[in-house]
Amino acid sequence: MIKENIRIALRSIRSNMLRSTITMVIIVFGIISLIGTLTAIDAIKYSINSNFTFLGANTFSIRNRESNIRIGRRGRSPRHFRHITYDEAMRFKQEFNFPSSVSISTMASFNARLFYRNKKTNPNIQVSGSDENYLLASGYELENGRNFSVSDIFYGGNVAIIGQEIKNTLFEGGENPIDQFIRIGSGRYRVIGVLKKKGASMMGGGDKLVVIPIQNARVYFPNSNPNFTINVVSDNTGIMELAVGEASGIFRQIRKVPLSETSSFEIIKADNLANILIGNLQKVTIGATVIGIITLLGASIALMNIMLVSVTERTREIGIRKALGATRQSIMFQFLTEAIAISFIGGAVGIIFGILIWNIISFFFNIGFYMPLFWTFTGVS
């Protein structure tokens, strides 16, 4: 009987193609809204994890603490914490004897424009001044060329490591950028390295990044109140907490923070920052889920109405089946099978289009392909 009901249901769908197609389209849009939106959110979560976990579980940063804000008359007076200076960062690098690699960096410019012959980039390039450990601490890898040498850092040489987007913009046609000279503002720099493609990054410039020696950045990108960041890569993941505690104690001494006061800096681990950002997406996920369920509920109501019309139109068929001995239950099961078949076909098409459409959008935002198995099975259900 089940096989017969499925065969009759498929035949009925084919004989009423317009009505069945309209019903399926309603379900398809309902599924796309649920699967597509949640796929995009899961892809964003995956991107956040990728952008932060590439640093590894053994990486942490020491940054200036944000200022406190006073709320109400009885609130405490706002506290402003001064920036981390170059001398403090260098002293930490010298005194931190834990088995690890320490990198010091500062953002020289957020909106620089680079020139090479008659070509130029958009004024949205980030220029970072750093040392020889920057690539290790920030998760970048070299595609071509070399890293900064000790003399490059010590003398603040006019050398630069550029990102992929800068290479593609300034050096078209496969021209090798190594040992070519580019202009960053008014300065002339020799390209010594090209970073591997990274895409849009939550950590900074991504492929729109150029790195120069930190001494060079201090001289040619002067700032009245520069702020420096310290990145630490521990050699042993198992003693990560010990490394964080040691770093906190040493830097409190360097900053001369009394034991009774809150630290004037903060230590951020890569996985903690990723969890904070993902936590902020939970409310968006809940909202998107509710919207998707409401859309699916509307599709279900539309399906019920169309099936009700189908039952009304086929009273003669129902009467013939009853005359031939069909029970009320078997007739109800036949229409239920037809509704399930329409829902399944519409759901399958909706899942395919939902994943396809939103992954295309994710591709344009450099998030990458993502296959949400959980939401796929939820959509089928």
Side-chain angles (χ1 to χ4, degrees), residues 226-300:
N227 190 24
F228 291 83
T229 300
I230 304 170
N231 293 318
V232 181
V233 183
S234 175
D235 294 343
N236 190 343
T237 308
I239 55 175
M240 179 67 173
E241 295 302 324
L242 292 176
V244 172
E246 180 77 7
S248 178
I250 291 176
F251 206 59
R252 282 180 68 94
Q253 292 180 2
I254 294 174
R255 298 270 282 185
K256 298 179 180 179
V257 180
L259 293 175
S260 58
E261 291 188 11
T262 306
S263 296
S264 59
F265 59 91
E266 54 187 358
I267 297 180
I268 302 175
K269 292 192 289 185
D271 52 350
N272 289 346
L273 199 54
N275 291 333
I276 291 172
L277 291 175
I278 291 175
N280 292 334
L281 282 174
Q282 295 302 322
K283 294 179 181 179
V284 180
T285 305
I286 293 172
T289 305
V290 171
I291 293 172
I293 291 174
I294 291 174
T295 308
L296 280 180
L297 180 62
S300 302

Side-chain angles (χ1 to χ4, degrees), residues 34-168:
L34 178 65
I35 302 297
T37 306
L38 295 174
T39 298
I41 292 175
D42 282 350
I44 294 172
K45 291 180 182 179
Y46 177 79
S47 175
I48 291 174
N49 275 319
S50 298
N51 278 303
F52 285 97
T53 56
F54 72 87
L55 295 174
N58 59 337
T59 303
F60 62 91
S61 300
I62 302 177
R63 302 180 181 182
N64 182 62
R65 184 180 292 275
E66 298 294 332
S67 300
N68 290 335
I69 299 176
R70 176 177 179 174
I71 301 177
R73 293 183 177 179
R74 297 184 179 181
R76 293 182 300 175
S77 300
R79 291 194 59 187
H80 300 283
F81 301 100
R82 61 181 177 83
H83 288 172
I84 297 174
T85 65
Y86 174 76
D87 291 336
E88 290 173 340
M90 284 300 297
R91 183 179 167 188
F92 175 86
K93 186 175 182 178
Q94 294 167 0
E95 296 184 8
F96 189 66
N97 296 321
F98 216 81
S100 60
S101 299
V102 180
S103 172
I104 300 172
S105 62
T106 184
M107 190 57 63
S109 176
F110 285 96
N111 54 356
R113 170 170 274 172
L114 276 61
F115 301 86
Y116 174 68
R117 295 178 182 172
N118 61 341
K119 299 172 185 173
K120 61 183 178 180
T121 66
N122 292 325
N124 59 351
I125 305 299
Q126 292 189 11
V127 180
S128 179
S130 192
D131 54 19
E132 70 279 1
N133 293 327
Y134 179 79
L135 301 184
L136 174 65
S138 59
Y140 281 98
E141 295 181 16
L142 283 174
E143 179 189 72
N144 195 12
R146 66 173 178 85
N147 193 10
F148 295 130
S149 65
V150 176
S151 61
D152 290 333
I153 301 300
F154 184 80
Y155 293 106
N158 282 34
V159 292
I161 300 174
I162 62 174
Q164 276 290 319
E165 186 162 331
I166 300 171
K167 172 193 170 184
N168 296 335

Side-chain angles (χ1 to χ4, degrees), residues 144-200:
N144 195 12
R146 66 173 178 85
N147 193 10
F148 295 130
S149 65
V150 176
S151 61
D152 290 333
I153 301 300
F154 184 80
Y155 293 106
N158 282 34
V159 292
I161 300 174
I162 62 174
Q164 276 290 319
E165 186 162 331
I166 300 171
K167 172 193 170 184
N168 296 335
T169 303
L170 298 181
F171 302 93
E172 298 176 342
E175 183 179 0
N176 187 7
I178 302 299
D179 290 330
Q180 301 295 335
F181 286 89
I182 61 174
R183 280 195 300 114
I184 307 175
S186 59
R188 191 166 177 260
Y189 292 80
R190 181 166 61 92
V191 178
I192 62 171
V194 179
L195 300 173
K196 285 185 178 179
K197 184 175 178 58
K198 190 176 183 181

